[in-house]
Amino acid sequence: MNDPSHRTPNNLFRLLAYIRPYWPFFALATLCGIVKFLVPVINNVLVGRGIDVLTAAYAGDLPRDAAWGQVTFWALLGMGLAAGSALPVYLRSRIGARAVWSVVRDLRCDLYAHIQKLSHSFFDAHRSGSLTSRIIGDVEAVQPFLNQGLIQSWMNVVQITVVMSILFSQNVKLALLSMALIPFHVVVQRLLSWRVKANARAIRDQLAGLAGATQEKLAASTVVKTFTREDDEVQRFSEDSNSLIDLGIYNSHLNGLSQAAVTGINALAPLLILLIGGHIGIFQPGELSIGLIAQFILMQGQVYGPFERLNEMQLITANALGATDRIFEIFDTEPEIADRPGAVKAPRVAGDIRVSALTFRYPDALSPALADFTLHIPARTTTALVGPSGGGKTTVTHLLNRFYDWEAGSIAIDGRDIRDYTVYSLRAQVGLVPQDPMLFSGTIEENILYGRPDATSEEVRRAAEQAYALGFIEELDQGFNTMLGERGIKLSGGQKQRIAIARAFLKDPAILILDEATSALDSESERIVQQALEALMRDRTTLVIAHRLATVIRADQIAVIERGRVAECGRHAELLACNGLYAMLCRQQFGAQLPGLPALD
């Protein structure tokens, strides 16, 4: 991985590209915000003039009525400016929020969309909790930069320019004195900003890892409770959380140094004006008025306040850039599986699948998952993939979906290499009913519609009926509008499986993959689900992955896969007669109870 510091300038430029569509909102919010900072500056000038008028009146150099009239004018003018600034200040907040949250939304949506396009290998290497942390937490960390680091930076620059122009126009010596401590602000920013950025990146990486582990364990709460590991998980969470303490303390250390330096500088500035300005006023009578000295003292907040805020924004920007680097790391990850040049949209296929001399190795794996794998699956037939665990059965279906690309060989459907088709149109031809059906925390209807979002309510009902799910759905109080909860927790295993089958019916794929679809069900549920599956399999090319061989006896062909190769292939009776690996697996599951099973030699 490259050093993130080398990517920061480019990533900042890329972030600014998200701002470009909303620059009128940012500009208007900045203009409104400038009013907020300039009104106190103008009022300090008015206060200084008022003090000079009062001083003259007290000394008898100005008639009291005239002095009162001038003081009243300055005071009312300042009050009017303060009252008039209320609306721009409100608009700055409202318009700025519109701009900032629009950018955050666009960035988050683009990041989520990009992640959805990434290949299976990316998800193999990244925990879902860590990715969620980037989509939610890292993007959220950009928000303070957009609000304070971007909008307010321009407001502060304008304030510094206006204030210094006023000060220099009134007295060059005091103006230069007002700027005497500014270099210390710059030094503090330079020394701390890169450290804050590096520490912020470390914190976000640590939080992402913690989020990934936490989500993983919360999703597996049943396993945790079954094995009574609650206390162990609490202890592990505590240990992982403790690792954040040093990073958090160091972050506070950096912020504390910054605040201490800025507080000290801001406290010294008006005292410096009082000391030097007072000396000039006392020993060089007539050069400085009391009102002017008071005005300069009051305006030190307007001189150093913007620099203090710029210093804070430097830290905010450094923190945001740590998150931005993590965000654009994802954007810089290209999908390994992409449409090849000239790829076309796949038509409705018949489903004749021919796998020829296929070799495939998972990333970082020492040995290939498939080696010289060859298998012909005729259209509209059922082929069972059986064999020892880890032999490559699921890998075959992953490659058929083009979740990965292979090293050698080919997969063709209806005589055409599947890489000639666009990825999405290929996957649109394939339906999947897994062992653990992944349902979402919406309604039953929404979960079935996932198979084809544009389907009508009547089509959804028909799919549920075909999946033998309509009966139990109508018995629920809310029917198709019943909320399922996370992962469909409100349904039994058989009911969840039938919802998944209904989803597959609605998709109406030409090729169907059943991955241990009934292995986790009780006998009664399995009987109902098996009926639904037989209806779904009719007139489709079907691949059945099974360890329970009783479910595949009637398959048109059974491919026995071992160590990434097809060891045997044929019908049930043929394989039994061969007395090979399949017969051995049958003996392990059925003993001597299966008719036709040859005796051991």
Side-chain angles (χ1 to χ4, degrees):
M1 183 177 296
N2 295 330
D3 181 357
S5 63
H6 296 318
R7 297 194 302 272
T8 293
N10 183 48
N11 287 342
L12 179 59
F13 180 79
R14 295 164 73 180
L15 179 61
L16 293 178
Y18 278 88
I19 298 169
R20 189 176 299 117
Y22 304 101
W23 73 264
F25 295 101
F26 281 99
L28 186 55
T30 301
L31 290 175
C32 291
I34 288 172
V35 175
K36 172 185 176 181
F37 287 154
L38 290 187
V39 167
V41 173
I42 296 172
N43 281 349
N44 284 339
V45 175
L46 298 180
V47 168
R49 293 189 178 185
I51 290 174
D52 281 339
V53 170
L54 290 175
T55 302
Y58 292 161
D61 297 333
L62 188 67
R64 294 182 180 274
D65 291 342
W68 176 245
Q70 291 186 44
V71 168
T72 301
F73 174 76
W74 300 131
L76 292 177
L77 178 59
M79 292 178 186
L81 290 173
S85 67
L87 180 60
V89 169
Y90 166 77
L91 290 177
R92 181 262 165 194
S93 178
R94 182 68 179 269
I95 297 171
R98 168 73 178 273
V100 167
W101 286 106
S102 295
V103 172
V104 168
R105 176 204 60 201
D106 291 352
L107 183 60
R108 179 173 287 140
C109 290
D110 283 357
L111 180 60
Y112 183 76
H114 184 76
I115 289 175
Q116 290 290 347
K117 295 176 183 177
L118 295 178
S119 305
H120 231 61
S121 56
F122 174 83
F123 295 95
D124 292 340
H126 292 81
R127 285 176 168 177
S128 59
S130 175
L131 295 177
T132 301
S133 174
R134 299 202 188 199
I135 295 170
I136 304 299
D138 288 350
V139 174
E140 188 70 19
V142 174
Q143 186 264 343
F145 163 73
L146 296 174
N147 183 33
Q148 295 171 271
L150 190 65
I151 295 177
Q152 289 195 22
S153 62
W154 288 107
M155 295 161 57
N156 288 311
V157 168
V158 171
Q159 183 180 358
I160 291 170
T161 303
V162 171
V163 169
M164 298 313 301
S165 297
I166 293 174
L167 296 184
F168 273 99
S169 68
Q170 295 189 339
N171 190 280
V172 174
K173 291 180 180 179
L174 289 186
L176 291 172
L177 188 60
S178 296
M179 299 176 62
L181 301 179
I182 289 177
F184 291 97
H185 276 277
V186 176
V187 170
V188 169
Q189 293 174 27
R190 292 288 184 182
L191 289 177
L192 296 180
S193 62
W194 71 269
R195 291 183 173 89
V196 171
K197 175 186 173 296
N199 193 61
R201 170 63 190 256
I203 289 175
R204 301 216 68 83
D205 286 342
Q206 190 72 24
L207 284 171
L210 183 62
T214 302
Q215 180 171 319
E216 184 177 58
K217 293 304 167 54
L218 291 177
S221 59
T222 302
V223 176
V224 173
K225 293 182 180 298
T226 299
F227 288 91
T228 64
R229 296 296 300 274
E230 294 94 334
D231 291 343
D232 293 336
E233 291 304 330
V234 170
Q235 177 64 26
R236 181 175 297 178
F237 184 85
S238 177
E239 292 172 356
D240 291 342
S241 298
N242 286 339
S243 64
L244 283 166
I245 291 179
D246 290 341
L247 293 173
I249 291 175
Y250 183 60
N251 192 63
S252 297
H253 163 71
L254 296 175
N255 287 328
L257 287 177
S258 172
Q259 293 174 13
V262 168
T263 300
I265 292 170
N266 289 351
L268 287 174
L271 297 176
L272 199 59
I273 296 294
L274 176 63
L275 180 64
I276 305 300
H279 182 275
I280 295 174
I282 292 172
F283 295 101
Q284 300 179 28
E287 183 169 343
L288 297 176
S289 68
I290 295 175
L292 186 61
I293 294 175
Q295 174 189 325
F296 268 76
I297 290 174
L298 290 173
M299 291 184 71
Q300 291 312 291
Q302 276 74 48
V303 173
Y304 287 93
F307 281 99
E308 180 179 0
R309 288 188 292 272
L310 285 174
N311 181 55
E312 293 173 353
M313 290 169 201
Q314 184 87 351
L315 301 180
I316 289 172
T317 301
N319 183 63
L321 289 178
T324 303
D325 283 345
R326 285 168 45 84
I327 291 170
F328 285 106
E329 276 181 7
I330 302 295
F331 278 118
D332 290 337
T333 303
E334 295 293 335
E336 294 180 9
I337 306 302
D339 296 336
R340 63 165 48 169
V344 299
K345 182 178 179 181
R348 176 75 178 190
V349 298
D352 183 86
I353 303 171
R354 191 173 293 274
V355 184
S356 303
L358 199 67
T359 297
F360 168 74
R361 185 191 311 268
Y362 284 103
D364 300 325
L366 296 178
S367 58
L370 298 176
D372 197 30
F373 185 98
T374 298
L375 179 65
H376 177 222
I377 303 171
R380 300 182 180 87
T381 63
T382 298
T383 295
L385 305 181
V386 303
S389 296
K393 300 183 293 297
T394 300
T395 300
V396 174
T397 63
H398 283 173
L399 297 180
L400 180 61
N401 270 295
R402 281 206 70 198
F403 291 155
Y404 306 91
D405 268 337
W406 46 89
E407 299 174 16
S410 66
I411 302 177
I413 297 180
D414 296 350
R416 185 163 187 174
D417 193 311
I418 63 173
R419 291 172 293 188
D420 291 340
Y421 297 125
T422 61
V423 174
Y424 285 176
S425 68
L426 170 68
R427 293 174 184 166
Q429 305 283 334
V430 183
L432 172 66
V433 180
Q435 176 181 0
D436 181 17
M438 178 58 70
L439 301 184
F440 303 104
S441 56
T443 65
I444 289 177
E445 183 175 44
E446 289 169 345
N447 273 274
I448 296 176
L449 278 171
Y450 210 77
R452 183 159 57 87
D454 60 349
T456 66
S457 296
E458 183 56 39
E459 288 173 320
V460 171
R461 184 181 179 85
R462 173 61 179 163
E465 183 178 16
Q466 291 173 312
Y468 292 83
L470 185 60
F472 83 79
I473 292 175
E474 291 183 331
E475 290 176 359
L476 299 172
D477 291 339
Q478 301 297 319
F480 282 91
N481 293 319
T482 300
M483 298 294 295
L484 295 184
E486 187 176 6
R487 298 176 64 88
I489 194 170
K490 295 183 179 180
L491 301 181
S492 69
Q495 290 171 335
K496 288 193 288 187
Q497 198 66 287
R498 280 178 276 171
I499 295 297
I501 294 171
R503 191 159 59 192
F505 264 115
L506 199 61
K507 184 178 183 179
D508 189 25
I511 299 169
L512 178 65
I513 297 171
L514 305 179
D515 191 352
E516 298 283 357
T518 63
S519 63
L521 304 179
D522 59 77
S523 299
E524 179 60 23
S525 296
E526 181 179 6
R527 183 185 62 80
I528 299 173
V529 169
Q530 193 63 46
Q531 288 178 319
L533 289 175
E534 288 174 0
L536 179 62
M537 293 161 61
R538 194 171 300 126
D539 201 33
R540 304 180 200 276
T541 302
T542 304
L543 281 76
V544 181
I545 298 175
H547 286 99
R548 295 170 60 182
L549 301 182
T551 62
V552 302
I553 289 176
R554 294 192 299 273
D556 296 304
Q557 68 174 349
I558 301 170
V560 184
I561 301 176
E562 183 183 29
R563 297 178 182 177
R565 290 180 171 85
V566 177
E568 300 173 329
C569 188
R571 299 182 69 88
H572 169 71
E574 296 169 350
L575 294 177
L576 287 183
C578 290
N579 201 21
L581 178 58
Y582 181 76
M584 183 190 74
L585 295 173
C586 287
R587 288 192 189 91
Q588 291 174 351
Q589 292 193 19
F590 305 113
Q593 301 175 7
L594 188 64
L597 190 62
L600 288 172
D601 295 334

